Amino acid sequence: MQSAMFLAVQHDCSPMDKSPGSGHKSEEKREKMKRTLLKDWKTRLSYFLQNSSTPGKPKTGKKNKQQAFTKPSPEEAQLWSEAFDELLASKYGLAAFRAFLKSEFCEENIEFWLACEDFKKTKSPQKLSSKARKIYTDFIEKEAPKEINIDFQTKTLIAQNIQDATSGCFTTAQKRVYSLMENNSYPRFLESEFYQDLCKKPQIATEPHAT
């Protein structure tokens, strides 16, 4: 339902014939929907910012978290449109993108990608093996709770690789999921109301001249 609402707001820009009296109500309804969606976005974003932490590092206090996840300036937000990696490199941008994917019911893609990034940094063979098994059961195997959309051949290869886990177990699958997000979800994120709102420069109020 949320996804349908999002798409309706995003793409409803074609000219329409409006009968007298209905145009104003239609515009009010559209604006109300946009405000509701932006509020919902901010709620999700707040959740991801509060629950984001670097793997392997202790969680910081509220003050440090607020400093780490400061809302970007319009110029900083605009940099995210230059490359997908620019978006992922920003903690605020990553949280915003996760919130967007959640609204599209495909957050498993970014969660898998993040799990793979953490997995590749693991040094202990014992931890590598346990993490490989968890990633497989969470994202790869049939009927997994967060099953990602990859081909059967890749799934079979991963099942074989995790028997003797190495840091490259999920490389092929991670690249495919990255490509899927870059070519599909990322362009839609850049067109979203939430991202466009971040890129808006604040209006400078001017005081009326005295007569």
Side-chain angles (χ1 to χ4, degrees), residues 23-116:
H24 184 64
K25 289 183 179 180
S26 177
E27 186 65 27
E28 281 187 345
K29 185 177 180 181
R30 191 152 46 239
E31 287 300 320
K32 185 178 180 181
M33 186 182 294
K34 286 169 67 175
R35 288 194 298 269
T36 301
L37 287 170
L38 285 173
K39 184 178 179 181
D40 189 40
W41 263 92
K42 290 171 184 177
T43 300
R44 288 199 196 97
L45 179 57
S46 177
Y47 169 81
F48 283 120
L49 291 178
Q50 289 172 9
N51 290 276
S52 295
S53 60
T54 303
K57 291 187 179 181
K59 291 184 178 181
T60 58
K62 288 184 178 179
K63 184 176 180 182
N64 289 333
K65 277 189 178 181
Q66 289 174 352
Q67 292 174 348
F69 295 113
T70 303
K71 182 178 179 180
S73 67
E75 291 77 15
E76 290 171 328
Q78 287 168 6
L79 288 175
W80 302 347
S81 66
E82 293 184 2
F84 188 38
D85 285 336
E86 289 283 350
L87 174 65
L88 297 181
S90 164
K91 289 182 179 181
Y92 196 102
L94 177 58
F97 187 59
R98 289 182 70 184
F100 172 74
L101 290 182
K102 188 171 180 64
S103 75
E104 293 209 325
F105 306 101
C106 58
E107 66 267 32
E108 69 276 0
N109 289 330
I110 191 64
E111 289 181 12
F112 171 72
W113 186 85
L114 289 170
C116 290

Side-chain angles (χ1 to χ4, degrees), residues 138-153:
D138 284 352
F139 299 100
I140 306 299
E141 69 179 1
K142 188 177 180 180
E143 304 298 331
K146 302 176 184 179
E147 187 177 2
I148 57 173
N149 185 18
I150 56 174
D151 60 273
F152 178 77
Q153 185 178 1

Side-chain angles (χ1 to χ4, degrees), residues 154-194:
T154 302
K155 287 188 175 186
T156 302
L157 181 62
I158 291 173
Q160 295 171 353
N161 288 342
I162 63 172
Q163 302 304 317
D164 186 18
T166 66
S167 59
C169 279
F170 303 100
T171 299
T172 301
Q174 187 184 15
K175 286 181 178 178
R176 293 190 180 185
V177 167
Y178 178 94
S179 178
L180 183 67
M181 292 190 295
E182 184 180 32
N183 295 319
N184 293 282
S185 303
Y186 173 56
R188 290 198 300 273
F189 171 77
L190 297 180
E191 294 176 0
S192 70
E193 293 288 344
F194 181 78

